[in-house]
Amino acid sequence: MPTYKIRGIDVDFPFEAYDCQLVYMEKVIQSLEQKCNALLESPTGTGKTLCLLCATLAWRKSLGSFSTGKAVKVSQNSAGKGDVSTSQPEDTGLPTIVYTSRTHSQIRQVIQELKRTSYRPKMIVLGSREQLCIHDRVSLLQGRTQNNVCRILCRRRGKDHCNHNQKVPGYLENNAHLGDEPIDIEDLVNVGKRFGPCPYYLSKHLLKFADIVFAPYNYLIDRGYRDSLNLNWSSSILIFDEAHNLESICADAASFDLPSWLLTACISEAKSCIDLCTERREKSNENMRNPDDFAILRALLLKLEKRIAEVPVKSKELGYTKPGSHIYELLADLNITDKTVCKLTSTIEQAAVLLEEDIQQKGNGNICRLDSIRQILDIVFRDGGAHAKYYRVHVQEVEARTADGSKGKTSKTLSWWCFNPGIAMEAFPKKGVGSIILTSGTLSPLESFAQELKINFPIRLENPHVITQSQLWAGVVPVGPSGRIFNSSYRFRDSLEYKQELGNAIVNLARIVPDGLLVFFPSYYLMDQCIDCWKNKSNEYSSIWERICKHKKPVIEPRQSSSFALSIEDYISKLKDSSASGAVFFAVCRGKVSEGLDFADHAGRAVVITGLPYATSTDPKVRLKREYLDQHSRTQGELYKGITGEEWYNQQASRAVNQAVGRVIRHRHDYGAIILCDERFTHPHRQSQMSRWIQPHIKNYSKFGEVVFTLTRFFRDGGTRGPTKLSLLESKNRGNLAEMPSADQLDKFCLEELLAPPTTITAQNCSLKASSLLGATRGSISNLGEVVPANRASLASDNCKIVGCKNSRDTCGKVVHGRMTDIPREREVIDLTDSDSSKLDKKSKDAVLAPFSAKKRRFISGEYDLLQNFGDSCEHASVRLSSQGQVELQNKDDGTTQSRNVELLGQKDKLPTDSESSADEETRGSTFLVHVREKLSPAEYREFVGFMKALKTKVMKITEVLQSIIRLFSGPERLPLLRRFKEYIPVKYHSLYEQYVEENGQS
């Protein structure tokens, strides 16, 4: 294992480190040594998590040995709780590392990375009772009810108590090694189920002397969670991984919404407490709780409900807004002040316990809603109300929806919104925390991120990627195939022309991009509008949606979270479907697809951004946030000028774009395209807000034809960039690539290991001499992957052989069931009718590969004036290539065969020229159609035939046909078809045709 000396500290790293990884680790150690905060952006695929762990643990190890191996003693005190101690003093003065990420699934992945390092600190992962409880009854409960019932059972003695909690001391004494090796939540649960100790309290006890603690970052942001940790915060290290959402999560944690339905449920629970308390007094003379207290609580909630209902809301759009301090005036009318709030919260806690006892007796799993009122009061009255200046009171009317979707009764929601996310972070400097490190693959723009959190980040980094220039295509596409401008702003997005132009562009991109294509819209509204438009037929021929489906099987991101797992399973199955050439996922920026999934390798070969995802400007929260920032930027003056509302609004859109485009490159061998379909991305200011690693790759294109040309070439060369994931997947799954996950496993980290490329040349029964992908090392990678273009049908991979290759890096043809397909690079002429490949002429290396199929293809017989007679006999003949290199047209009706002396071999994309005028029109037409059939996929060829028929029957105008043909013949390999087609249209339309060709960038 290589060791690197970074700032005087030896860092063990499992692999040979890239330069950007060394820079990243240097910044981490600098932050820790100088006890300052760091804001570090490093793209996905650069080993960010591994670098973070190795650098942090190496620095911690330099201060003193880890706590592994210490004996643990746990004794039960009088309250039934376990006291934990170690054989050494618990407070060693060494800092604790708290490593947080967004979800437990991401924490699981971090722990897997820890196993790859040489470091073995004492560690523990924290979770809630919902995740860790193994008690038969308590594990079925939720929320505060579960917490309180657990505490009650742990305090009890006798028969009805929690036996699992009592087994914790004995287990820890006999298993002092627990936590010495990396363990996850599932490991703790398995320990509890196998040996009996409570996993939740095991983690609580190990927390007291762990060197590194793993948890979701709401455990630090939420004050209640944070206080319950009982950590020694002095000089501790806080790491927030995947921190791109931290700003919004901090603001939400400090805010609240009180809808009318929740307030009604709380009033009902207060009434239940009165009845329960009265009933117990009558039956058992229980005087512990006074029903009058609950009656007062109910009266206050009823009065609050009435006050909210009386708030004058003049406009549904604007609502009712007041400064943050207005919340105290509202509550003071109910006699809820900083002097009386403690009594009220105490009453609510008693009510919650009473309800939970009743729930336990009745055996139902209802959630106590009254606790939400206590949480609201905690937020409002913390710190004496000094933070109210960062808030706004807002009341808005909401129309309820009935079960059948119709509009119901209008109700009001009281909100207290925090517009300073730094409130949640300001507690850490006060506690003496040593360093706070925020890191993610998409933090740009960094300055606004730092200003929003209101803490100083002296150390910042925007890392480049480890990929090469050839692995990423990034371009701005300002116009569509017909030259119409792409702009998704409200002025253009609802026009029919915009939606049709965007649809036609996606048809072209779906044809070019192999395998998985991700298309992100700014909003669900625009996605629904576009898809509805594309599904409408403007004539009797195929709609835009049908044309997209010919190339890619579609999946649409659902609005409902409950349906999301099914949509992912659908996408996986469609990607693996060998009858199609891939799948397209239509999704929304800021949605689940853009935030939490890993579309590695062929799962996401390209990302299309259809517009800038601005938040709805009329949304009350967005509008008030912008007003708040404008007001504070003016009052702070020139010395410390914060961002304005407009700057924040723009940067939020850019950050959402960065998050979406981050789906495309997921590891160092991955490759793909970022396609920005909006003219506003051409502005330098907009591009400057993209992630730094993307910026050098971005090119502005003036014509759609240039995009088609360069993208086609990019994906044609895709197979030479590095190994596919197939061999790695076979190693992990023992060859079982069809293994499907459960719905709860469909998170960011599962997709990469599930999806194997649908076609590859490393298949069974293929004779291939090349080094194994599993043995590939840096600088020595076997380029064996084949990228099948989307306009080429997927091929079966059995009984195939590689021909015409000099070595494993040569791009070569593949013979599949007697048919040759080529991976374009250095193309050789292969006469498939001669089984002896050694007889190939050496001079034919640059000639085009002649397609051949033992199965006779449909073709055209009869007259070859394509515009006049195309539709007469296109279904009555077949074609094949004879052993003499002739085209044989066989009539299906009478079986007669006509031979055409068309020389196809020995030429490189060369169509017959005017020097062949001695050949009759029929032969020239057949020659052209052979090339059309060769260059187009079967679906595209049927589309071509349809255009010709539509022209003859006058269903389509000739201008529409010409534009459609130009789009169909786009790309460098089809340029000869584009030029030759001009000969088959009337002379009076030649200038029009040339004009369309030039407009599409094909001239």
Side-chain angles (χ1 to χ4, degrees):
M1 180 175 289
T3 299
Y4 299 90
K5 187 172 287 293
I6 304 176
R7 298 182 68 88
I9 294 176
D10 291 334
V11 180
D12 294 336
F13 200 69
F15 312 104
E16 182 183 352
Y18 290 97
D19 291 340
C20 67
Q21 293 173 331
L22 295 175
V23 171
Y24 186 91
M25 289 190 284
E26 192 271 338
K27 292 294 184 182
V28 171
I29 294 176
Q30 181 185 357
S31 169
L32 301 176
E33 286 183 337
Q34 297 177 359
K35 292 189 175 182
C36 58
N37 305 325
L39 201 57
L40 309 176
E41 181 184 74
S42 193
T44 301
T46 56
K48 168 176 56 68
T49 299
L50 194 61
C51 292
L52 191 55
L53 286 170
C54 290
T56 306
L57 293 174
W59 172 82
R60 166 60 182 81
K61 188 177 180 180
S62 70
L63 302 179
S65 60
F66 293 130
S67 302
T68 51
K70 294 180 180 179
V72 182
K73 294 182 180 180
V74 183
S75 58
Q76 293 281 2
N77 59 23
S78 58
K81 296 183 179 180
D83 293 327
V84 182
S85 62
T86 63
S87 58
Q88 300 179 15
E90 184 177 333
D91 186 6
T92 61
L94 297 174
T96 301
I97 302 166
V98 184
Y99 193 115
T100 67
S101 193
R102 190 164 53 122
T103 63
H104 273 291
S105 62
Q106 291 169 334
I107 291 294
R108 186 184 309 122
Q109 183 70 12
V110 174
I111 293 173
Q112 292 301 316
E113 293 293 293
L114 177 61
K115 292 179 181 179
R116 301 169 69 178
T117 73
S118 63
Y119 299 101
R120 289 297 177 264
K122 194 77 171 180
M123 61 83 65
I124 193 60
V125 57
L126 299 180
S128 64
R129 287 180 175 86
E130 290 185 15
Q131 296 161 316
L132 291 169
C133 181
I134 57 174
H135 190 278
D136 292 341
R137 285 181 291 131
V138 181
S139 60
L140 301 177
L141 303 175
Q142 297 177 2
R144 182 181 174 88
T145 301
Q146 186 183 51
N147 295 340
N148 286 339
V149 172
C150 172
R151 295 188 187 101
I152 292 171
L153 294 182
C154 289
R155 287 195 298 264
R156 283 182 181 175
R157 291 290 178 266
K159 185 177 180 180
D160 191 13
H161 70 285
C162 181
N163 187 44
H164 298 291
N165 183 42
Q166 293 185 348
K167 292 182 179 180
V168 170
Y171 183 82
L172 283 179
E173 281 196 27
N174 297 324
N175 296 274
H177 62 277
L178 187 65
D180 290 359
E181 289 293 323
I183 56 174
D184 198 3
I185 280 184
E186 287 77 7
D187 300 319
L188 284 173
V189 171
N190 290 335
V191 166
K193 290 180 177 178
R194 185 175 180 183
F195 302 105
C198 172
Y200 177 78
Y201 283 105
L202 274 178
S203 66
K204 282 285 195 181
H205 292 321
L206 290 173
L207 172 65
K208 297 182 180 181
F209 52 95
D211 299 306
I212 184 168
V213 179
F214 296 93
Y217 49 58
N218 64 300
Y219 279 53
L220 296 184
I221 295 170
D222 186 275
R223 190 172 67 166
Y225 275 123
R226 186 171 64 235
D227 293 343
S228 68
L229 294 180
N230 294 320
L231 279 173
N232 181 12
W233 296 99
S234 178
S235 299
S236 60
I237 309 302
L238 307 186
I239 297 173
F240 292 86
D241 198 359
E242 301 297 336
H244 48 270
N245 288 322
L246 192 61
E247 169 200 345
S248 60
I249 290 176
C250 285
D252 290 343
S255 306
F256 73 79
D257 294 299
L258 182 59
S260 61
W261 66 265
L262 179 58
L263 190 53
T264 301
C266 292
I267 293 170
S268 177
E269 288 184 350
K271 177 65 167 61
S272 298
C273 289
I274 298 172
D275 296 339
L276 286 170
C277 191
T278 303
E279 181 182 348
R280 291 189 179 189
R281 281 197 166 194
E282 292 175 353
K283 289 184 177 180
S284 58
N285 295 323
E286 180 182 309
N287 296 319
M288 290 177 58
R289 302 179 181 92
N290 188 347
D292 293 340
D293 293 337
F294 302 131
I296 294 172
L297 172 62
R298 180 173 180 269
L300 288 174
L301 294 178
L302 283 169
K303 191 173 181 180
L304 177 61
E305 183 182 48
K306 182 180 179 182
R307 284 296 311 276
I308 296 173
E310 292 173 349
V311 170
V313 178
K314 297 180 180 179
S315 167
K316 288 185 178 180
E317 290 75 22
L318 297 178
Y320 173 87
T321 304
K322 289 287 184 179
S325 57
H326 180 72
I327 193 73
Y328 300 106
E329 299 175 18
L330 179 65
L331 295 176
D333 288 345
L334 310 177
N335 197 30
I336 302 176
T337 64
D338 54 350
K339 296 180 180 179
T340 62
V341 70
C342 291
K343 171 64 176 174
L344 183 59
T345 53
S346 175
T347 302
I348 292 174
E349 289 174 354
Q350 292 181 33
V353 173
L354 182 62
L355 290 170
E356 285 152 8
E357 290 175 352
D358 183 61
I359 289 171
Q360 186 182 0
Q361 291 176 0
K362 295 179 179 178
N364 57 42
N366 294 333
I367 299 174
C368 179
R369 303 290 187 183
L370 269 173
D371 190 56
S372 60
I373 302 297
R374 181 192 61 80
Q375 293 173 356
I376 288 172
L377 294 175
D378 287 344
I379 291 174
V380 172
F381 287 99
R382 73 169 184 269
D383 302 330
H387 55 289
K389 60 184 178 181
Y390 304 123
Y391 284 78
R392 295 292 182 270
V393 174
H394 186 76
V395 178
Q396 58 184 327
E397 286 188 344
V398 180
E399 285 186 347
R401 294 280 178 176
T402 60
D404 60 358
S406 59
K407 294 182 180 180
K409 185 180 178 181
T410 299
S411 61
K412 293 179 180 177
T413 297
L414 171 67
S415 301
W416 204 48
W417 289 329
C418 174
F419 295 126
N420 177 13
I423 284 180
M425 304 293 290
E426 64 184 9
F428 299 123
K430 294 178 181 178
K431 291 178 177 292
V433 169
S435 300
I436 302 174
I437 298 176
L438 271 57
T439 185
S440 177
T442 50
L443 290 177
S444 298
L446 297 188
E447 182 59 32
S448 67
F449 198 91
Q451 289 186 17
E452 280 284 275
L453 293 178
K454 297 294 188 295
I455 57 176
N456 189 27
F457 291 95
I459 298 175
R460 301 182 186 185
L461 174 66
E462 292 180 84
N463 236 348
H465 214 298
V466 295
I467 61 173
T468 63
Q469 184 78 20
S470 65
Q471 289 176 255
L472 179 65
W473 186 102
V476 180
V477 186
V479 296
S482 300
R484 294 190 178 94
I485 291 175
F486 283 144
N487 189 312
S488 68
S489 65
Y490 69 92
R491 292 176 296 172
F492 301 98
R493 67 188 181 194
D494 289 327
S495 68
L496 179 62
E497 292 78 10
Y498 168 77
K499 289 180 278 194
Q500 288 180 338
E501 189 79 347
L502 181 61
N504 287 326
I506 291 175
V507 171
N508 281 273
L509 296 174
R511 175 177 56 83
I512 297 169
V513 176
D515 303 317
L517 174 64
L518 308 176
V519 179
F520 287 101
F521 292 85
S523 65
Y524 282 105
Y525 166 81
L526 187 56
M527 180 175 73
D528 294 340
Q529 290 291 310
C530 286
I531 291 177
D532 289 344
C533 172
W534 299 342
K535 288 182 178 180
N536 291 331
K537 289 187 178 182
S538 57
N539 52 52
E540 63 183 78
Y541 291 95
S542 58
S543 63
I544 292 175
W545 184 255
E546 290 170 339
R547 290 163 56 205
I548 292 174
C549 295
K550 288 179 182 178
H551 303 296
K552 305 281 185 195
K553 292 191 173 182
V555 179
I556 302 173
E557 180 180 9
R559 291 176 182 258
Q560 300 80 12
S561 298
S562 58
S563 304
F564 182 70
L566 295 177
S567 68
I568 294 298
E569 291 180 6
D570 188 26
Y571 184 66
I572 292 172
S573 63
K574 287 178 177 177
L575 271 179
K576 292 186 174 183
D577 188 350
S578 59
S579 66
S581 57
V584 54
F585 210 137
F586 295 102
V588 175
C589 292
R590 297 189 184 90
K592 285 185 174 293
V593 173
S594 69
E595 291 284 341
L597 287 177
D598 190 0
F599 292 89
D601 299 302
H602 76 290
R605 280 294 175 221
V607 167
V608 178
I609 304 295
T610 63
L612 282 164
Y614 285 110
T616 305
S617 59
T618 57
D619 181 271
K621 205 168 187 178
V622 174
R623 176 174 54 82
L624 293 176
K625 172 75 173 183
R626 295 175 70 174
E627 292 176 2
Y628 167 86
L629 290 174
D630 286 338
Q631 178 183 345
H632 278 256
S633 65
R634 289 193 298 267
T635 57
Q636 288 174 342
E638 295 296 329
L639 184 63
Y640 180 75
K641 187 173 178 62
I643 61 173
T644 65
E646 185 65 20
E647 290 171 340
W648 170 83
Y649 189 61
N650 278 281
Q651 289 168 358
Q652 289 299 306
S654 297
R655 191 165 286 125
V657 170
N658 287 333
Q659 192 62 27
V661 300
R663 305 305 97 201
V664 70
I665 303 292
R666 306 303 295 180
H667 58 86
R668 63 181 180 178
H669 297 309
D670 207 353
Y671 67 93
I674 297 172
I675 307 167
L676 306 171
C677 292
D678 195 303
E679 64 168 348
R680 291 172 290 178
F681 283 112
T682 59
H683 300 159
H685 174 69
R686 179 66 57 190
Q687 293 183 15
S688 69
Q689 294 184 345
M690 301 287 288
S691 293
R692 183 68 60 86
W693 68 273
I694 299 174
Q695 292 180 26
H697 298 269
I698 299 176
K699 293 182 180 179
N700 295 330
Y701 294 91
S702 59
K703 297 180 180 179
F704 191 79
E706 296 174 347
V707 175
V708 171
F709 180 90
T710 55
L711 265 180
T712 302
R713 183 172 57 189
F714 174 80
F715 285 113
R716 176 187 296 168
D717 299 336
T720 66
R721 295 188 177 90
T724 64
K725 296 286 284 187
L726 182 61
S727 296
L728 299 176
L729 286 168
E730 286 177 338
S731 174
K732 292 179 181 180
N733 299 333
R734 298 182 181 179
N736 182 15
L737 304 181
E739 196 174 65
M740 290 294 295
S742 60
D744 60 334
Q745 293 174 321
L746 291 168
D747 56 26
K748 173 181 177 181
F749 304 104
C750 74
L751 205 59
E752 179 181 354
E753 298 186 3
L754 288 172
L755 301 177
T759 59
T760 178
I761 60 175
T762 57
Q764 294 179 346
N765 301 323
C766 292
S767 175
L768 177 63
K769 293 182 179 180
S771 58
S772 170
L773 296 184
L774 295 175
T777 59
R778 183 183 176 190
S780 176
I781 302 170
S782 298
N783 297 293
L784 304 181
E786 176 190 3
V787 177
V788 179
N791 60 340
R792 192 181 296 271
S794 299
L795 303 176
S797 56
D798 55 325
N799 299 320
C800 64
K801 62 180 180 179
I802 305 302
V803 293
C805 290
K806 292 181 180 179
N807 53 58
S808 63
R809 289 187 180 270
D810 283 346
T811 308
C812 50
K814 180 173 70 173
V815 183
V816 183
H817 295 303
R819 183 169 71 180
M820 166 63 71
T821 182
D822 62 307
I823 312 171
R825 196 178 175 184
E826 292 184 7
R827 294 179 288 185
E828 299 182 10
V829 176
I830 309 294
D831 187 353
L832 301 181
T833 60
D834 191 341
S835 60
D836 188 358
S837 60
S838 65
K839 297 180 181 179
L840 294 174
D841 191 330
K842 295 181 180 179
K843 296 181 180 180
S844 62
K845 290 183 178 179
D846 294 328
V848 69
L849 288 166
F852 174 81
S853 175
K855 182 179 179 180
K856 296 179 180 179
R857 304 181 189 176
R858 293 180 178 179
F859 206 65
I860 301 168
S861 140
E863 299 296 324
Y864 282 91
D865 185 336
L866 298 182
L867 294 177
Q868 299 300 321
N869 302 305
F870 194 92
D872 290 340
S873 54
C874 62
E875 300 297 330
H876 299 285
S878 61
V879 65
R880 70 181 182 90
L881 187 65
S882 73
S883 59
Q884 289 77 31
Q886 296 177 332
V887 175
E888 294 185 354
L889 298 174
Q890 185 175 38
N891 193 293
K892 293 181 180 179
D893 298 327
D894 56 15
T896 59
T897 301
Q898 304 176 42
S899 297
R900 306 295 181 213
N901 296 317
V902 182
E903 186 181 353
L904 295 180
L905 304 181
Q907 301 180 44
K908 182 179 181 180
D909 287 338
K910 182 180 179 183
L911 292 175
T913 63
D914 292 338
S915 61
E916 298 171 310
S917 57
S918 58
D920 58 21
E921 290 296 316
E922 187 174 348
T923 300
R924 291 176 63 243
S926 66
T927 302
F928 176 72
L929 289 170
V930 166
H931 283 271
V932 173
R933 190 63 177 261
E934 175 192 355
K935 296 296 183 182
L936 301 186
S937 68
E940 289 174 321
Y941 187 75
R942 288 193 297 271
E943 194 173 357
F944 173 76
V945 172
F947 290 140
M948 296 299 98
K949 288 182 177 179
L951 186 61
K952 181 185 177 184
T953 57
K954 298 182 179 180
V955 174
M956 293 177 67
K957 297 180 180 179
I958 190 168
T959 54
E960 296 174 348
V961 172
L962 294 183
Q963 289 176 329
S964 301
I965 292 296
I966 290 169
R967 286 196 297 269
L968 201 60
F969 288 170
S970 61
E973 64 178 10
R974 302 181 184 183
L975 190 57
L977 300 180
L978 197 65
R979 293 169 179 166
R980 187 64 171 164
F981 186 74
K982 179 181 173 182
E983 299 179 14
Y984 298 98
I985 63 177
V987 176
K988 64 180 180 180
Y989 293 114
H990 281 191
S991 60
L992 182 63
Y993 183 73
E994 291 171 353
Q995 177 185 341
Y996 289 156
V997 170
E998 184 177 356
E999 288 176 354
N1000 282 270
Q1002 298 295 322
S1003 56

